[in-house]
Amino acid sequence: QHSLYSAFSKFGLLYSVRAHSSAAGAGPGSYAILKFYSSGDARRAQRACNGQRLFQKSALKVCVCTKQKGFQQQGLALNSNKCQELANHYLGFNGWASRIITLQDVSGFDGENEEQSVKYLCAVEVTLPTHGVCTRGVALAEADVENTEDPLQFITASRRVQKLAVGKALSAAFQKILLVVLENGKVAVEYNSTQEELIDSLAEEELKGLVQVNEVSLEQFDCEEEVLSDLSFDDELPGQEMPSN
């Protein structure tokens, strides 16, 4: 996988690299699935690498996959880690910034037993100063607490839910940013919202008082599962401001 990544990453930012052994009875060898963020990058890699000996004695056969099971649904959202990776690649580490406007504990707001469930609502703002673009995202995250008599379990669940809410809100903000990558490598940015976004026009004071949890649908913010170990309140990521403890 490391050799594949090294050979193909020069054509563009890779989303993932997975190497697999050939199926039983298929003879010696292996195959791999590489996913680029850009289909243009994938086509360039295919044309340049097909039939070439990149890091092994035998020539590689490289083709572009046009159909994949499980990807029929359009508009799948990237999780916050992938959004940051994409922004850093095309905009630079100093080309964007994010901050948490509000992170509210709304456990028990909808009448549920707050001792059994932890729920947080988060609003995040993403700005691209050079391009004059500013968007906001809102997300709700919750988790059940199995042992309500254990304070440590409650604190752990709260931390986990806070991180998940921040990640989902960041992802929601990035979904309204459209990156237009030109052939010469230049990047243009546009605000891309299919509907009027009320949270983008609200004053910060209004967002901090946002408690209408019953109007927020969890399905609206259903995106890829976050890699929670990469989200930390204690460490700042390039281009991102995280809240202090």
Side-chain angles (χ1 to χ4, degrees):
Q1 290 189 175
H2 176 73
S3 297
L4 286 167
Y5 184 89
S6 299
F8 284 89
S9 60
K10 63 183 180 181
F11 297 99
L13 185 62
L14 284 163
Y15 178 87
S16 65
V17 178
R18 296 289 184 269
H20 305 272
S21 299
S22 296
S30 59
Y31 69 96
I33 298 176
L34 296 87
K35 295 181 181 179
F36 286 88
Y37 283 93
S38 166
S39 60
D41 292 342
R43 287 192 294 269
R44 285 192 293 272
Q46 190 273 333
R47 290 194 296 265
C49 298
N50 186 35
Q52 301 299 314
R53 297 176 174 85
L54 300 180
F55 51 85
Q56 71 296 315
K57 295 180 179 180
S58 59
L60 282 178
K61 179 180 180 181
V62 183
C63 58
V64 176
C65 181
T66 57
K67 294 183 179 180
Q68 293 188 45
K69 294 182 179 179
F71 284 86
Q72 291 83 357
Q73 181 181 355
Q74 299 298 317
L76 293 176
L78 295 175
N79 66 33
S80 63
N81 296 321
K82 293 297 185 182
C83 289
Q84 293 173 63
E85 183 179 51
L86 197 61
N88 289 336
H89 179 78
Y90 286 111
L91 304 174
F93 289 94
N94 298 320
W96 67 279
S98 69
R99 67 186 182 96
I100 297 174
I101 299 175
T102 183
L103 182 61
Q104 302 179 35
D105 182 357
V106 293
S107 305
F109 180 82
D110 53 3
E112 295 180 354
N113 186 352
E114 58 180 319
E115 295 183 353
Q116 299 290 338
S117 176
V118 179
K119 188 180 297 184
Y120 274 85
L121 180 69
C122 181
V124 169
E125 181 178 81
V126 173
T127 57
L128 282 62
T130 304
H131 301 276
V133 174
C134 177
T135 70
R136 291 168 175 171
V138 175
L140 181 69
E142 63 179 318
D144 293 331
V145 181
E146 296 180 0
N147 186 2
T148 58
E149 297 181 357
D150 185 355
L152 180 59
Q153 187 176 118
F154 182 83
I155 293 174
T156 302
S158 297
R159 293 275 294 178
R160 178 182 177 86
V161 171
Q162 288 177 42
K163 293 176 182 179
L164 184 57
V166 171
K168 286 189 173 184
L170 183 63
S171 175
F174 267 113
Q175 302 316 308
K176 292 176 280 185
I177 296 175
L178 179 64
L179 300 178
V180 182
V181 183
L182 306 178
E183 288 293 332
N184 58 9
K186 293 184 177 181
V187 179
V189 178
E190 293 184 9
Y191 178 83
N192 182 38
S193 180
T194 56
Q195 58 185 359
E196 184 179 356
E197 293 287 349
L198 178 62
I199 62 171
D200 285 343
S201 59
L202 289 175
E204 185 169 323
E205 292 73 16
E206 293 176 294
L207 277 174
K208 288 183 178 179
L210 184 64
V211 291
Q212 298 293 332
V213 181
N214 58 324
E215 296 184 3
V216 179
S217 171
L218 284 174
E219 296 179 355
Q220 180 180 354
F221 308 106
D222 183 20
C223 58
E224 296 183 23
E225 183 180 357
E226 295 289 346
V227 182
L228 296 178
S229 60
D230 293 339
L231 291 172
S232 172
F233 284 132
D234 303 318
D235 301 325
E236 282 194 5
L237 295 175
Q240 181 180 10
E241 297 180 18
M242 300 298 288
S244 59
N245 290 334

